[in-house]
Amino acid sequence: MKIVSGDYTGDGTDDVAAAYQYDDGIKLWTWIGKGNGTFSEPVSSWAGSWTLDRMTLHSGDFNGDGRDDFATWYDFADGHDIVHAFAGNANGTVKSPTVLWNAAADRFWRSETKIVAGGLRRRRAGRPGGHVPVQR
């Protein structure tokens, strides 16, 4: 399981999200913070045939709408890498992934890269950035 936190509903209270591995792929789950230190029952957000060990999970407001979103760096078996964004909905679920970045095979290694989400460009919405990829 991989866990991140953020304000996925935009209500000012942090929520928790997790990617969980099943036999047929992963599922993204969200626990909505109630503002009193407790959380709602988890909401299933998205499911795909990915493998948890090939991805990293990140949180930030990547589209500037005031709600945190998910981003994943996925290292495909053929060596290419893609960073996907999952835009958040007001109920804590996410939309289908969109591609933010796509690297050809054997150009970057997720295991040697650190992604940092945040408003890195003039206090704009958080975007995957601040990473220092190792190119070979």
Side-chain angles (χ1 to χ4, degrees), residues 6-15 30-33 65-69 88-93:
D7 182 6
Y8 304 117
T9 59
D11 65 0
T13 301
D14 278 346
D15 310 303
T30 309
W31 289 260
I32 307 302
D65 66 357
R67 289 188 302 271
D68 284 338
D69 312 302
N89 296 312
N91 65 358
T93 61

Side-chain angles (χ1 to χ4, degrees), residues 33-78:
K34 294 182 179 181
N36 63 2
T38 65
F39 295 90
S40 67
E41 289 296 313
V43 177
S44 175
S45 297
W46 180 83
S49 59
W50 294 355
T51 302
L52 195 62
D53 291 342
R54 294 190 159 277
M55 66 175 275
T56 57
L57 183 62
H58 310 276
S59 184
D61 183 5
F62 303 118
N63 60 7
D65 66 357
R67 289 188 302 271
D68 284 338
D69 312 302
F70 304 138
T72 59
W73 179 311
Y74 198 83
D75 181 19
F76 288 86
D78 68 358

